[in-house]
Amino acid sequence: FKSYPFRVGEKIYIASGPRHGDWEVIGVDEQRIRLRCPVSQRELECNPFYYFVEKRDDEPWPHNH
């Protein structure tokens, strides 16, 4: 796996794990990634992570849960 090259403004969906759900990328540097939930506006700062990634342009965002 390689780390995903996050870009500010991306709208992402994490399918499982403690960060499960919809997020907007609001900050990126070499050490940290800042994410914001589009519903609660909660912000999260975390280390870069490694995932399997699929890019989909036709997905609704935020998802209806």
Side-chain angles (χ1 to χ4, degrees), residues 38-52:
V39 176
S40 69
Q41 300 300 306
R42 181 178 140 225
E43 293 186 12
L44 171 69
E45 188 170 304
C46 57
N47 293 325
F49 42 91
Y50 301 83
Y51 283 106
F52 172 76

Side-chain angles (χ1 to χ4, degrees), residues 6-14 19 21-28 33-39 41-46 49 61-62:
F6 291 99
R7 293 186 323 258
V8 172
E10 282 185 298
K11 293 170 172 62
I12 64 171
Y13 176 73
I14 300 175
R19 297 181 194 111
D22 293 297
W23 296 95
E24 181 178 2
V25 180
I26 60 171
V28 178
I33 300 165
R34 288 183 46 225
L35 305 172
R36 179 174 43 228
C37 174
V39 176
Q41 300 300 306
R42 181 178 140 225
E43 293 186 12
L44 171 69
E45 188 170 304
C46 57
F49 42 91
W61 191 91

